Amino acid sequence: MSTQATSQPGHSADVVVHGLSRWYGNVVAVNDISFTIGTGITGLLGPNGAGKSTVLHTLSGFLKPSAGTVEVLGEPAWRNPSLYRSLGLVADGEAVYPFQTGREFVLLNARLHGLRDAVQAADRAIAVVGMQEAQDRKTGGYSKGMKQRIKIAAAIVHEPQVLLLDEPFSGTDPTQRLHMMNSLEAMAKQGKTILFSSHVLEEVERLSDNVLVIINGRLAASGDFHAIRKLMIDRPHQFTIRSADNRRLASALMAEPAVSGVELAGDAISVRTQEFAAFTVAAPKVARAQNIRLLELLPTDESLESVFAYLVKR
Amino acid sequence: MSDQAGSIYNLGYQRYTGPRLGRRYAIRVLALHRLRACFGVGRPLSSKIFPIALAIIVMLPAVVQLGIGTFGNADAKVIRPENYYRYVGVVLALFCAAIAPELVSRDQRSGTLTLYFSRALKRADYALANFFALTVSLLVLTVGPQAILFAGNGLVVSNPASYLQDEWKQVPEILASSLLLSVMFAGIGLSVASFTPRRAYSTVSVLAVFILGSALGPILLSVSDQGIVRYALMISPFHVISGFSLWIFGASPEGNGVLAKADIPGGVYALEALVVGSVSLGVFVRRCLRIAT
Amino acid sequence: MRSDGPIDGSALVTASGLTKRYPKVTALDSLTVTIAPGIIGLVGPNGAGKSTFIKILLGLLSPTSGTATLLGFDATRQDVDLRQYVGYMPEHDCLPLEISATEFIVHMAQISGLPHAAARERAAETLRQVGLFEERYRQMREYSTGMKQRVKLAQALVHDPRLMLLDEPTVGLDPGGRDEMLDLVQRVGREFGISIIMSSHLLGEIERVCDHLMQIESGKLVRYEAISALTDVTQVLTVEVEGDVSPLVERLRNAGFTVQQDDRRVHVQLDDDRVYDVIRDTVAEMGMGLVRLQQQRRRLEEIFGERAVV
C-alpha cells in the first residue's frame, strides 16, 4: 500500500510522484512511493542505498520508472528534454570541464538553454552563488565547494521553476554553506520548488520546510518533522526538567496520570510520557502547586536525528 | 582468588606498554612484505600465476641444456652462463613490467601511500624497501637458473670434484652478473612505474622502455658501426646485459652478432648497468620524496 | 576525563611562526599556537590551511619556516619517531581493496613499530572496538562506506597513539553512520584517553564531540578557545508553548520584562529570576502547554555569522 504525502496543501504541486517503483532484476530500489512537492524547500533523507538517488534520477528524467508515474510541472519526466527549460539539476560527482573557467561553464549552460540574455543571466547566477571573484579561473583548480557552487550557478542560470540538488553542501565550509543556504531560501521565497538530498540532518533541519524520508526504498515519513514527531505516538516522549527542587518535583510529577516514568539524572529530571499535550499542560501546574521554580524544560528527543533514528529502526 | 565464584574481566581499552621497534623494524617489515607481494605469497591464486609462470619459463633453458647434456652430447654447451640472459631477457623484462606496478602504482591508486608516509618510515625508506624487494626477486630469477645450470653441468660430468675445482670461479661470476641485471632492471621498472597510479599504463610504459630500447639500439648501430654512433647500442637493455655477461664470464661475443659489431668493451656495459641502476633508483626515490599525499 | 598527556608532559602540539609558502599562495602564515591535550575541533574555510597544518604536524610536508612540536617531538627533525605515537585518518580513500581488514590493520600496526604478535592482538581488539566483526576477514572491496571509515579509524588507532588526527571523519556517511562515528570518536577521546584533533565543516559535530576549537583562516590562527567559552549561556530565556502565545507575551510585558516574539517562540531578558515564576504561573493559569523553557546558549554557528537553529 503506498504512503501518500502532500507537502504543501493549497500550493501548486510542481512535482507529483505516484506509485513509483524502480527495480533492477530482483533488486527493488524504490518501492511504491507517492508524494507531492510544491513551492519551498523539501529535504530528501535516507540511509545510504535507500533509494534517494534513484528517486532524484527519475525526477530528473534520466531514469525510467519501472512502475508508477513521475510528473514534473504537469508533464512526465522521462526523456522529456523540453522539461529542462524549467528544471535545474545539480548532480553529485564532477560534471565540470576542468579546462573551462567557471564563467565559461555557466555561460555555456545559459547558451545551451537558448537564453537571449545569456551573459546577464550568467552574471546573475554567479552572483547568487557568490563566485564573482573566482569566475575567471579554470574549474580544474577549484576546491570541491567551489565546484559545487558553480554547478548550482549553471543549474539556476535559466531560473528554473524546479531545482533538484543531490548533496549540494558536501565539501563546503560553514561560510560557503551559509551563503548557499541564503540563496536557496531566497529562491524558495520567490516561489520556486526546491528538493535537495543530504546526509547531514543539521542542514536539512535548518533549510527545509518539509522532509521526505526514504528507507529501504519506501517512503517512511513526510512533512514537517516536528509534526512527524508528534505523530509518533507509539513512542513515548521524553522531557528534561531542571528545577529548584528536583526530587520533590519528581515525586509530584509521578502522581500525574500523563507521566509514565520519572528519573533523577544528575542535576535534572528525565520524564517519560505517552501523552505529549497533557503533560505539557500538567507540568507547570504541578510546579506551581508545589511552589517549585522551574528553571528548564526541554523535549529531549525532538531533533531530526532522533526522529530519523526512530524511523530507520521501524 | 579461589574464593571468588566468578569474575568480570576488563575488556575496555588497553594501553600498549610493549616495545616500539622503530624505523629499522618498519623498513624490514615492509621490505619482506613487498618481497612476498612480488610472488603473490599470501594472495589469491591470480596474483601468483604470472610470477610463478615466468619463474618456470626462466628456468627452462637451464633444464633444456641439462637435457642435452644428459641425453645427448655432454660437451655440447648450447646454453651457457654467459649467454643465458639472451634467452630469458624478455621474460625478466616482463616480470619487471608486471610486478613493479604492483609494488608502486597500486599504492598510489588506492591512496595507501599516505598511510605509509604517516608511519614510522621516511619516504626514501619506502622507495628502498620496494627496490630491495624487486631486486631480490630478480636475483632469484637470475641466480636460480644459473645455479641449476652450474650444478647440473657438474652432475653430468664424469668427475664432479675436478669440475668444482675448475669451475668454482663461476660462482662469483654468476652472482655479479645477476646482481648487475637485477639492479638495472629493478631500477628501470620502479622508476618508470612510480610515475603513474594506473597499473596498466605502468606495465605498458615499462615494457616500452625495454622493447623500444632494444629495438632502437641495433637500428642505430646499423646506421654506422664506426665512431661514437656504435655506442648507441647501449640504449638496448637486452644487449647491455649480454654485453656485461660475456665480459664477466670472460667470453667474447659471437663473430657476426650485433655485440661484436659494436665492439664496445665489456666493462663499459657493466659500468652502464651500475649507473642506470643507481640513477633510476635516484629518480624513483626522488619521485617518492616529491609525490603529493 | 582529561586525556593522558604526551610523552614528556608538555603541551600536545606547539607551533611557532609556522609558515608554508607555495609559488602562488601562502598556505600557512606564521601560525603560532599551543594546544593542550583533549579533543580539539579544527575549523576554517576550504583552503584556509587546515590540511596543510595537519600534514606538517605529520611530517608529510615540511614548513617553509617556523617550527612545530608534537607530543614533545620536533615535527620536522624527529618525524619518524614521532609518528609511532600518532594516528592519521585522511579524508580521501586510502584502503587497498584487495585484502581483508585484518591483514591490513596488522600490517599497518607493524609499520608503526609494533612487533608481530602485539600487532595481531591489537588489530583484533581495535577492529572489535570500531565495530567490525565477521566482515573483517573479507576483502575490503566488499565493504560499505561506513565499514571503510571504521577501518580507516582502526588503522589510526591500532598502535595506541597518544594523538589522533582526523580529517573530516564523517564525510560520506549517512546519518546513522555519522552518529556511530562521532560516538566512536568521543569514546576514543574520553574513555581511551587519546587526544584528538578533528577537522570538520559541521559545527554541530564539533560542538558535540570536542572540548576546544581551533579556527584557521587564510593561513592564520583566528582563535583557539574552549568550546564551553564559546557556548556559554546568554541572558535570554526562550519559552515555547502550545497554542496562542500572545497572552503570555502581554502578561510578561505588563510585569515589566523585555520580550521578543519570534514565530512560536518568546524570548525574555533574564533581568530578574522572578521571570521563571511569572512564566510558570501564567502558563499554568491559562492552561497552556509548556513545551520549552530554556536559557539560550551561544552556538558555534554564530562565529561564522550563521543563524543558530533555535
Side-chain angles (χ1 to χ4, degrees):
Chain A
M1 194 176 111
S2 69
T3 17
Q4 193 78 28
T6 311
S7 56
Q8 296 271 343
H11 283 72
S12 60
D14 286 339
V15 176
V16 179
V17 171
H18 189 77
L20 171 65
S21 293
R22 170 77 203 180
W23 50 77
Y24 304 89
N26 279 333
V27 177
V28 180
V30 168
N31 192 353
D32 201 17
I33 288 186
S34 301
F35 59 84
T36 312
I37 306 177
T39 52
I41 304 181
T42 303
L44 182 61
L45 293 175
N48 274 338
K52 299 193 307 293
S53 303
T54 307
V55 168
L56 280 171
H57 286 146
T58 52
L59 289 179
S60 53
F62 292 128
L63 199 56
K64 183 173 182 214
S66 306
T69 59
V70 173
E71 285 184 0
V72 176
L73 297 168
E75 291 183 32
W78 165 241
R79 279 209 188 139
N80 188 352
S82 63
L83 198 53
Y84 295 125
R85 262 184 246 128
S86 335
L87 183 64
L89 177 65
V90 180
D92 215 2
E94 311 288 311
V96 281
Y97 299 115
F99 50 81
Q100 277 187 319
T101 66
R103 186 181 171 69
E104 280 165 2
F105 176 63
V106 178
L107 206 47
L108 172 65
N109 272 274
R111 297 218 164 97
L112 286 174
H113 276 112
L115 297 178
R116 265 177 281 121
D117 61 337
V119 173
Q120 291 94 313
D123 282 336
R124 275 197 304 269
I126 290 174
V128 164
V129 299
M131 284 289 284
Q132 299 97 313
E133 258 184 49
Q135 62 181 313
D136 293 313
R137 294 206 329 245
K138 292 211 191 326
T139 61
Y142 281 2
S143 67
K144 185 161 185 202
M146 291 165 82
K147 280 191 189 134
Q148 288 292 93
R149 289 194 284 166
I150 209 72
K151 275 157 63 179
I152 292 181
I156 62 173
V157 71
H158 56 302
E159 294 184 354
Q161 171 58 22
V162 176
L163 186 58
L164 304 174
L165 304 127
D166 197 348
E167 304 269 357
F169 304 113
S170 76
T172 54
D173 64 46
T175 321
Q176 292 166 341
R177 214 177 19 242
L178 171 65
H179 196 119
M180 273 163 59
M181 285 190 178
N182 287 340
S183 313
L184 290 174
E185 279 174 340
M187 283 190 267
K189 281 212 177 70
Q190 288 171 5
K192 308 284 193 226
T193 298
I194 300 175
L195 174 69
F196 79 103
S197 87
S198 173
H199 274 332
V200 182
L201 297 177
E202 291 150 18
E203 292 170 353
V204 178
E205 214 168 336
R206 184 181 317 244
L207 199 53
S208 333
D209 310 311
N210 291 284
V211 297
L212 291 166
V213 183
I214 298 190
I215 293 172
N216 269 343
R218 314 209 55 181
L219 190 62
S222 69
D224 176 278
F225 74 84
H226 289 295
I228 294 173
R229 178 64 189 89
K230 297 233 175 73
L231 288 173
M232 285 161 31
I233 49 177
D234 57 346
R235 185 176 98 161
H237 293 260
Q238 253 192 317
F239 284 87
T240 302
I241 300 181
R242 283 192 317 113
S243 70
D245 189 339
N246 284 336
R247 197 171 278 275
R248 208 156 49 89
L249 183 61
S251 65
L253 283 171
M254 197 60 223
E256 286 292 310
V259 171
S260 50
V262 169
E263 200 180 304
L264 288 168
D267 65 345
I269 314 172
S270 181
V271 183
R272 252 195 346 273
T273 167
Q274 297 278 134
E275 298 164 55
F276 184 91
F279 174 76
T280 57
V281 172
K285 286 193 171 143
V286 167
R288 184 169 178 232
Q290 298 287 327
N291 206 6
I292 300 175
R293 171 169 292 170
L294 278 180
L295 297 171
E296 186 175 273
L297 185 145
L298 285 180
T300 15
D301 55 355
E302 290 295 284
S303 69
L304 185 53
E305 267 190 64
S306 173
V307 171
F308 188 82
Y310 164 82
L311 291 170
V312 169
K313 287 204 197 88
R314 267 172 105 232
Chain B
M1 312 312 157
S2 49
D3 293 331
Q4 280 182 319
S7 319
I8 294 184
Y9 301 99
N10 180 14
L11 285 186
Y13 187 75
Q14 303 290 331
R15 273 281 138 82
Y16 178 66
T17 49
R20 290 181 192 261
L21 304 175
R23 180 178 169 195
R24 291 169 71 166
Y25 170 78
I27 297 175
R28 214 178 55 222
V29 166
L30 183 61
L32 287 173
H33 178 262
R34 290 296 141 127
L35 183 53
R36 290 204 306 270
C38 286
F39 292 101
V41 174
R43 287 286 158 88
L45 189 60
S46 50
S47 320
K48 296 194 194 10
I49 284 190
F50 202 66
I52 303 288
L54 289 180
I56 293 174
I57 295 174
V58 145
M59 308 283 173
L60 280 179
V63 171
V64 166
Q65 171 62 41
L66 292 183
I68 296 174
T70 314
F71 302 112
N73 186 350
D75 293 323
K77 300 276 184 243
V78 176
I79 293 163
R80 298 180 298 277
E82 63 266 20
N83 69 0
Y84 198 91
Y85 301 132
R86 235 177 57 199
Y87 297 96
V88 299
V90 175
V91 180
L92 296 169
L94 269 174
F95 184 84
C96 240
I99 302 300
E102 278 298 310
L103 295 178
V104 297
S105 299
R106 209 185 248 277
D107 279 346
Q108 283 179 59
R109 188 85 199 274
S110 61
T112 319
L113 208 57
T114 311
L115 297 182
Y116 279 116
F117 291 167
S118 60
R119 297 192 123 76
L121 285 174
K122 282 197 174 288
R123 291 181 180 226
D125 300 337
Y126 173 85
L128 291 172
N130 278 303
F131 183 74
F132 167 85
L134 189 53
T135 304
V136 168
S137 306
L138 286 166
L139 271 175
V140 166
L141 294 181
T142 49
V143 170
Q146 295 273 30
I148 292 176
L149 200 57
F150 180 74
N153 283 337
L155 289 171
V156 300
V157 148
S158 40
N159 190 348
S162 70
Y163 173 83
L164 261 173
Q165 241 181 328
D166 296 332
E167 304 286 349
W168 68 269
K169 259 193 312 129
Q170 272 192 37
V171 174
E173 285 166 352
I174 290 172
L175 291 173
S177 58
S178 301
L179 193 59
L180 276 176
L181 187 153
S182 304
V183 161
M184 178 173 146
F185 275 32
I188 293 175
L190 288 171
S191 55
V192 171
S194 64
F195 281 91
T196 166
R198 306 191 79 109
R199 282 176 294 147
Y201 293 178
S202 297
T203 299
V204 168
S205 309
V206 172
L207 274 177
V209 169
F210 281 108
I211 292 176
L212 286 176
S214 299
L216 227 49
I219 290 175
L220 288 171
L221 183 62
S222 66
V223 164
S224 157
D225 58 0
Q226 303 299 324
I228 221 88
V229 185
R230 53 185 232 271
Y231 283 86
L233 191 62
M234 285 170 69
I235 67 168
S236 162
F238 297 141
H239 291 98
V240 170
I241 60 181
S242 289
F244 67 64
S245 295
L246 291 167
W247 176 68
I248 288 176
F249 286 99
S252 23
E254 279 167 25
N256 50 359
V258 172
L259 281 167
K261 213 164 146 218
D263 196 23
I264 300 172
V268 173
Y269 291 118
L271 186 61
E272 182 195 348
L274 265 177
V275 168
V276 168
S278 323
V279 167
S280 54
L281 175 60
V283 167
F284 175 46
V285 169
R286 188 156 180 271
R287 168 71 181 157
C288 291
L289 288 176
R290 291 170 68 98
I291 194 169
T293 46
Chain C
M1 170 188 155
R2 275 186 64 89
S3 319
D4 285 3
I7 311 297
D8 67 349
S10 60
L12 188 70
V13 171
T14 68
S16 180
L18 201 59
T19 306
K20 179 71 180 171
R21 270 189 245 286
Y22 291 102
K24 286 193 184 161
V25 66
T26 301
L28 283 183
D29 192 353
S30 204
L31 189 84
T32 300
V33 68
T34 301
I35 302 178
I39 311 181
I40 296 101
L42 184 57
V43 301
N46 282 330
K50 302 194 305 280
S51 296
T52 310
F53 180 60
I54 289 181
K55 287 180 184 169
I56 291 182
L57 291 181
L58 282 167
L60 290 175
L61 281 180
S62 45
T64 315
S65 61
T67 55
T69 70
L70 199 58
L71 303 169
F73 293 99
D74 181 313
T76 319
R77 283 184 301 214
Q78 297 172 286
D79 58 338
V80 180
D81 295 321
L82 153 66
R83 290 198 286 259
Q84 293 185 96
Y85 299 97
V86 179
Y88 176 44
M89 183 177 166
E91 187 199 338
H92 58 79
D93 290 330
C94 56
L95 302 177
L97 299 177
E98 69 282 356
I99 60 180
S100 69
T102 303
E103 202 190 317
F104 177 61
I105 300 292
V106 172
H107 182 55
M108 287 284 116
Q110 286 185 278
I111 306 279
S112 282
L114 259 53
H116 192 44
R120 265 199 307 239
E121 279 167 25
R122 286 201 71 89
E125 266 303 289
T126 308
L127 285 168
R128 176 179 74 88
Q129 258 140 11
V130 304
L132 282 172
F133 303 104
E134 317 81 55
E135 46 278 358
R136 68 175 75 176
Y137 304 112
R138 298 205 302 259
Q139 286 189 354
M140 291 196 276
R141 199 190 306 279
E142 302 170 25
Y143 288 10
S144 65
T145 314
M147 287 157 76
K148 284 186 193 159
Q149 289 291 91
R150 289 173 207 251
V151 178
K152 269 208 251 174
L153 184 65
Q155 64 80 32
L157 183 57
V158 66
H159 50 293
D160 190 27
R162 300 291 83 233
L163 166 67
M164 279 173 58
L165 298 165
L166 312 177
D167 203 342
E168 311 234 12
T170 60
V171 154
L173 295 177
D174 64 17
R178 244 185 91 213
D179 207 38
E180 283 166 6
M181 176 59 70
L182 291 174
D183 274 346
L184 263 176
V185 171
Q186 221 171 0
R187 221 153 61 94
V188 170
R190 307 235 170 115
E191 282 176 37
F192 300 1
I194 298 176
S195 286
I196 297 178
I197 298 180
M198 174 175 115
S199 88
S200 174
H201 280 321
L202 300 170
L203 299 172
E205 286 183 356
I206 306 244
E207 257 192 63
R208 172 172 163 180
V209 168
C210 306
D211 47 58
H212 278 76
L213 177 79
M214 179 174 160
Q215 185 185 358
I216 298 184
E217 216 162 301
S218 305
K220 299 203 223 303
L221 179 74
V222 173
R223 80 187 75 223
Y224 168 66
E225 277 180 70
I227 300 233
S228 53
L230 294 166
T231 55
D232 54 5
V233 287
T234 61
Q235 290 303 101
V236 175
L237 204 56
T238 296
V239 185
E240 193 182 327
V241 295
E242 294 275 293
D244 185 14
V245 83
S246 1
L248 178 63
V249 174
E250 210 185 294
R251 183 79 75 90
L252 286 168
R253 284 207 175 117
N254 289 343
F257 294 109
T258 322
V259 179
Q260 216 192 344
Q261 195 175 340
D262 162 23
D263 213 5
R264 297 178 304 177
R265 298 187 179 192
V266 179
H267 307 284
V268 192
Q269 279 298 118
L270 199 55
D271 298 323
D272 181 346
D273 280 356
R274 283 187 310 124
V275 178
Y276 291 112
D277 300 330
V278 173
I279 292 171
R280 175 197 69 191
D281 297 343
T282 312
V283 169
E285 273 168 34
M286 303 203 158
M288 290 191 268
L290 181 63
V291 178
R292 182 186 306 265
L293 174 69
Q294 186 181 20
Q295 195 174 5
Q296 279 305 97
R297 290 191 158 268
R298 285 163 56 205
R299 299 290 306 276
L300 282 186
E301 281 93 340
E302 293 165 31
I303 303 178
F304 296 89
E306 293 186 15
R307 303 173 334 259
V309 173
V310 175

